[in-house]
Amino acid sequence: MTRFSALSLFTKAFGGHQNWPAQWPDAAPKPAYDAIIVGGGGHGLGAAYYLAKKYGITNVAVLEKSWIGGGNTGRNTTIIRSNYLYDESAHLYDHAVKLWDGLSQELNYNIMYSKRGVMMLAHNVHDIQSLQRHINANRLNGVDNEWLTPEQAKAYCPPLNISPDARHPVLGAALQRRGGTARHDSVAWGYARAAAALGVDIIQNCAVTGIRRGADGAVEGVETTRGYIASKRVGVSAAGNTSVIMQMAGLDFPLESYPLQALVSEPIKPTFPCVVMSNTVHAYMSQSDKGELVIGAGTDQYVSYSQRGALHIVEHTLAAICEIFPIYRRMRMLRTWGGIVDVTPDRSPILGKTPVKGLYVNCGWGTGGFKATPGAGDLLAYTMAKDEPHKINAPFNLDRFRNGRLIDEAAAAAVAH
Amino acid sequence: MILIHCPYCDEKRPEIEFANAGQAHIARPLDPSGQSDADWEAYLFIRANPRGRHHERWRHTHGCGRFFNAVRDTVTDKFETTYKAGEPRR
């Protein structure tokens, strides 16, 4: 593996940048592995990397049905934050935020983590009370979050319309300064390259079609479109398709899959310095380093695997964006797309063991999985290596839907689900 | 936007007139206190979430206001049929 540095960039420039080697080999499946990760998104590649790096399990395969990072990793709005209400969630998401810090150096790959701040707007009395409750809860958990007046919010994000007669008046905002964005594709590529350098096989175009279990019920391996692969440890990190994979092992999951849409505008000069989210009117936006406004829309109301959503969902979001940021009214939108998100009844993820021995799961991140990428990867790796959950992900077990100990972030998440 | 046939109005109308009401044919337990924790979990939380043919409930909120059932393919989003509430599963 070529180590990326200013010097390597400089020397390769003399060859016109024609002689860069492939960043990782395109592996073919071996007959057996110590561990298999199903799903080559950021979470799955992260899990493979941490299995190899922290837990010494290097004979690992990542199985991706199409190309790595082509699912929700490449379809999200790249927002990172950890301002969740409940203790369990704050610890989980802040674990990820701590790992985002320094990830570029650790992977020797520029993931472009930018702590530009995530600002959530309050438009009514309920929003003010709810956001201030979040701020207090976050601070008690060591997560930074602070209250801004409308004028302070405007100073932090000048395109914001704080006029009192606005359609959606801004009465204040909660700001998490450590929040921000990262380059999503780089996250997948960085983890893939670093994992491959430690011996992990990254196998693309390899869909799992069955899970083989032994006489004692434990996992023995997976059937794939590229043949049978044996492994006593299988971690499933397949987002919207998790319930389909779990049914191959005879497990019914409390998940429903919905299309979630996002869109980008034509690229313009830097005008938008942070991430702004408005839960009440359902609009959130940031500007990529390429210059596009990156806008998150909502989920469709029905279960679907179509990876596209309805136009009226996008229209609803853009109507709100035009009211909150009137300067963008004449912007043209370039592309819209959808990703399939797996939503749990309490809007918190499921990360841990399953009733099937040797089968582990990381799913249910719903509309907000990108921010958790390093944390989810690390905790899935821990759970697979030790055959028991880490104390951070222990509350996010499957049993909570039976014993009632839910972590109900439904009303506390970024957007009105 | 998808067009949905309301079996009561007998018309195809745009999706924004309708509200999806989740998976269809989930019967509330007749003997609540006799249910195990696993039964309650299945009733409250476990959903089919199939990749393909799916039975779901819709409500014609901005029309007749009535609930009905539908069979839709979750990969193509194409409706196979819609039928009135209370009619047998198709």
Side-chain angles (χ1 to χ4, degrees):
Chain A
M1 184 178 85
T2 312
R3 193 174 160 74
F4 294 146
S5 63
L7 182 67
S8 69
L9 194 64
F10 183 74
T11 50
K12 289 280 195 284
F14 284 109
H17 289 298
Q18 296 298 305
N19 49 354
W20 287 99
Q23 296 190 19
W24 63 87
D26 190 19
K30 290 192 283 194
Y33 289 93
D34 291 342
I36 286 175
I37 306 283
V38 180
H43 286 222
L45 293 162
Y49 168 74
Y50 291 114
L51 270 175
K53 177 81 178 178
K54 287 171 88 167
Y55 308 108
I57 302 171
T58 56
N59 186 22
V60 177
V62 177
L63 308 182
E64 166 55 48
K65 70 176 169 152
S66 55
W67 70 94
I68 65 158
N72 292 352
T73 299
R75 292 166 190 267
N76 59 73
T77 49
T78 79
I79 295 166
I80 294 167
R81 62 185 178 86
S82 59
N83 53 353
Y84 280 74
L85 182 64
Y86 292 107
D87 296 352
E88 297 89 343
S89 316
H91 295 148
L92 179 70
Y93 290 97
D94 213 48
H95 177 61
V97 168
K98 284 171 186 153
L99 287 171
W100 281 113
D101 235 346
L103 194 59
S104 289
Q105 285 72 26
E106 182 179 348
L107 299 178
N108 181 228
Y109 209 96
N110 187 6
I111 57 150
M112 297 164 70
Y113 173 34
S114 155
K115 287 184 236 184
R116 57 185 67 186
V118 171
M119 192 164 77
M120 294 188 164
L121 303 179
H123 297 295
N124 53 43
V125 174
H126 172 78
D127 284 352
I128 295 175
Q129 292 169 344
S130 163
L131 288 178
Q132 290 188 343
R133 183 182 174 208
H134 274 70
I135 290 171
N136 294 330
N138 288 161
R139 288 185 163 188
L140 287 170
N141 280 317
V143 176
D144 74 303
N145 203 347
E146 64 194 86
W147 181 253
L148 302 184
T149 63
E151 292 72 27
Q152 288 170 323
K154 172 91 177 164
Y156 197 75
C157 183
L160 193 61
N161 177 17
I162 59 163
S163 153
D165 59 356
R167 170 70 182 83
H168 307 299
V170 175
L171 304 180
L175 173 65
Q176 185 181 21
R177 290 183 191 271
R178 283 192 307 152
T181 58
R183 168 108 165 84
H184 50 189
D185 297 322
S186 289
V187 176
W189 300 335
Y191 272 128
R193 174 171 166 271
L198 293 168
V200 172
D201 278 358
I202 293 163
I203 302 159
Q204 302 185 97
N205 301 312
C206 181
V208 170
T209 54
I211 294 177
R212 202 183 281 182
R213 294 168 64 183
D216 61 346
V219 167
E220 286 190 336
V222 293
E223 311 277 357
T224 76
T225 48
R226 295 176 71 174
Y228 175 71
I229 308 172
S231 180
K232 294 208 180 303
R233 262 187 289 225
V234 175
V236 176
S237 187
N241 286 297
T242 302
S243 48
V244 176
I245 304 245
M246 283 302 163
Q247 273 176 349
M248 296 172 190
L251 297 176
D252 291 322
F253 257 58
L255 289 174
E256 287 193 296
S257 298
Y258 298 95
L260 175 67
Q261 292 185 82
L263 58 156
V264 293
S265 72
E266 57 194 335
I268 53 170
K269 285 184 177 178
T271 55
F272 201 78
C274 59
V275 180
V276 175
M277 312 182 103
S278 170
N279 305 348
T280 306
V281 296
H282 200 161
Y284 56 101
M285 186 160 85
S286 62
Q287 188 175 11
S288 73
D289 291 341
K290 221 181 339 177
E292 302 153 326
L293 297 176
V294 183
I295 297 168
T299 54
D300 277 294
Q301 55 173 334
Y302 46 81
V303 166
S304 176
Y305 291 82
S306 64
Q307 287 194 322
R308 60 180 180 265
L311 186 62
H312 66 95
I313 305 283
V314 168
E315 278 184 316
H316 175 81
T317 293
L318 287 177
I321 294 279
C322 289
E323 292 292 341
I324 300 170
F325 309 107
I327 68 162
Y328 297 126
R329 276 188 180 166
R330 295 173 69 188
M331 291 283 290
R332 282 163 294 193
M333 294 298 140
L334 277 193
R335 290 178 284 125
T336 76
W337 62 90
I340 302 304
V341 299
D342 46 331
V343 176
T344 60
D346 63 356
R347 269 63 177 173
S348 286
I350 303 167
L351 176 45
K353 298 172 71 168
T354 71
V356 173
K357 189 170 162 33
L359 186 64
Y360 306 87
V361 72
N362 167 44
C363 68
W365 291 93
T367 57
F370 176 73
K371 66 175 82 67
T373 303
D378 181 37
L379 295 167
L380 178 59
Y382 181 100
T383 308
M384 290 176 71
K386 312 267 182 187
D387 194 34
E388 62 178 20
H390 190 279
K391 70 177 191 311
I392 295 176
N393 65 310
F396 295 89
N397 54 47
L398 191 55
D399 294 338
R400 72 180 192 268
F401 300 100
R402 188 164 299 183
N403 62 30
R405 197 173 163 70
L406 303 179
I407 303 160
D408 196 357
E409 289 287 345
V415 292
H417 285 284
Chain B
M1 192 181 309
I2 50 182
L3 295 176
I4 303 171
H5 176 260
C6 172
Y8 295 102
C9 304
D10 199 21
E11 267 189 85
K12 261 195 173 175
R13 306 290 300 170
E15 184 205 329
I16 45 169
E17 288 190 12
F18 297 84
N20 184 287
Q23 191 179 325
H25 302 296
I26 297 176
R28 187 174 170 81
L30 293 172
D31 171 25
S33 53
Q35 304 292 307
S36 68
D37 287 354
D39 293 336
W40 277 116
E41 180 193 21
Y43 167 67
L44 290 172
F45 298 130
I46 304 293
R47 293 294 175 262
N49 202 26
R51 198 183 164 94
R53 207 166 177 269
H54 185 46
H55 290 78
E56 63 189 357
R57 296 195 308 158
W58 286 85
R59 184 176 174 223
H60 196 179
T61 326
H62 301 292
C64 61
R66 300 180 76 173
F67 281 94
F68 59 90
N69 293 327
V71 183
R72 184 175 52 88
D73 188 297
T74 60
V75 178
T76 61
D77 289 341
K78 213 169 192 174
F79 281 87
E80 185 182 307
T81 181
T82 58
Y83 52 100
K84 292 174 182 169
E87 289 180 10
R89 186 187 174 96
R90 291 189 187 174

